[in-house]
């Protein structure tokens, strides 16, 4: 599949998995003006960018909580059937944890779920999920991940796609600004978080 997606036409006759695998947006500067108003075809219903941005705003709020408490500004929410069931933020610093990335915290806060619940869920994250968080999404067969940004860090997105996970990249400026400033201010802490 070509990296340029500006000319793709989305038709409901296409398989849902194909349509959703094509919607990871290129950088904002090269996107057509109508890209922010695009509607996504998802399992028989349209999901607007506005809905994705609403859930992403909750994740951004979690990221700010993490930053305000001395941690890394990454937030996440788990949504099932349009309802937030878990939310969290990176707490590696605050809890001296080796694994409490934002996505892991959101999943932990969601509690024990059934396989069918995970398979109806959407994981929202302000930053592209790392190998650990991506692996957890694969383990529980979370079918869709909405990513705030992947400019400051890009996890194994191609691998997730190859395993059937549908990714939606929002390229959100607030997420970009949060992480860009944090990496500039605390490069050592950031490198520790990503294992560098």
């Amino acid at each position: 599949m070509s990296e340029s997606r500006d000319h793709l036409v989305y038709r409901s006759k296409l398989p849902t998995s194909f349509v959703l695998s094509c919607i990871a947006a290129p950088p904002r500067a090269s996107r057509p003006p109508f890209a922010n108003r695009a509607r996504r075809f998802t399992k028989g219903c349209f999901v607007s960018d506005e809905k994705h941005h609403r859930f992403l705003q909750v994740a951004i709020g979690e990221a700010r909580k993490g930053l305000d408490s001395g941690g890394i500004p990454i937030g996440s929410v788990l949504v099932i059937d349009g309802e937030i069931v878990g939310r969290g933020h990176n707490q590696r610093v605050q809890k001296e944890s080796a694994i409490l990335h934002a996505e892991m915290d959101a999943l932990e806060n969601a509690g024990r779920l059934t396989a069918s619940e995970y398979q109806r869920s959407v994981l929202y994250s302000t930053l592209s999920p790392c190998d650990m968080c991506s692996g957890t999404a694969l383990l529980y067969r979370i079918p869709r991940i909405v990513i705030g940004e992947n400019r400051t860090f890009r996890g194994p997105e191609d691998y997730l796609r190859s395993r059937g996970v549908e990714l939606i990249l929002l390229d959100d400026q607030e997420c970009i600004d949060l992480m860009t400033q944090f990496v500039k201010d605390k490069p050592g802490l950031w490198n520790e978080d990503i294992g560098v």
Side-chain angles (χ1 to χ4, degrees):
M1 179 173 59
S2 170
E3 284 300 312
S4 174
R5 295 176 181 91
D6 296 282
H7 63 281
L8 288 178
V9 175
Y10 300 108
R11 300 180 193 280
S12 61
K13 293 181 182 180
L14 293 173
T16 303
S17 60
F18 172 77
V19 172
L20 290 168
S21 69
C22 294
I23 61 176
R28 181 167 281 154
S30 65
R31 286 166 44 193
F34 59 83
N36 290 331
R37 296 187 305 273
R39 293 171 66 97
R40 315 292 199 214
F41 186 73
T42 307
K43 299 223 182 229
C45 65
F46 284 96
V47 178
S48 68
D49 275 350
E50 291 79 25
K51 189 171 190 176
H52 289 313
H53 282 286
R54 180 169 55 93
F55 290 126
L56 184 65
Q57 283 303 310
V58 176
I60 291 170
E62 287 292 324
R64 291 193 181 284
K65 280 185 195 175
L67 183 63
D68 292 345
S69 61
I72 299 168
I74 304 169
S76 182
V77 295
L78 184 68
V79 175
I80 300 176
D81 300 332
E83 299 289 327
I84 295 173
V85 297
R87 60 179 71 205
H89 52 274
N90 187 304
Q91 295 196 64
R92 289 189 69 245
V93 173
Q94 300 91 320
K95 294 191 175 179
E96 297 187 14
S97 169
I99 62 169
L100 267 184
H101 282 192
E103 299 89 343
M104 304 297 277
D105 192 36
L107 290 166
E108 179 69 18
N109 290 331
R112 185 175 170 191
L113 300 172
T114 65
S116 66
E117 288 173 312
Y118 284 120
Q119 291 167 11
R120 293 193 326 268
S121 69
V122 180
L123 182 63
Y124 288 79
S125 182
T126 57
L127 185 66
S128 182
C130 71
D131 289 328
M132 176 178 64
C133 299
S134 296
T136 303
L138 290 172
L139 175 68
Y140 290 114
R141 297 184 180 168
I142 295 172
R144 188 169 304 106
I145 301 173
V146 178
I147 301 167
E149 69 103 351
N150 69 355
R151 293 187 191 191
T152 55
F153 176 81
R154 187 171 192 255
E157 294 176 11
D158 294 334
Y159 182 66
L160 284 168
R161 284 189 189 96
S162 77
R163 294 284 304 272
V165 178
E166 300 162 334
L167 302 180
I168 299 171
L169 175 62
L170 298 181
D171 204 33
D172 183 85
Q173 192 61 49
E174 189 173 1
C175 293
I176 295 166
D177 293 344
L178 262 173
M179 281 308 300
T180 301
Q181 190 61 49
F182 179 80
V183 172
K184 180 181 173 186
D185 293 345
K186 297 185 178 178
L189 186 54
W190 171 239
N191 287 336
E192 174 191 327
D193 192 66
I194 58 173
V196 175

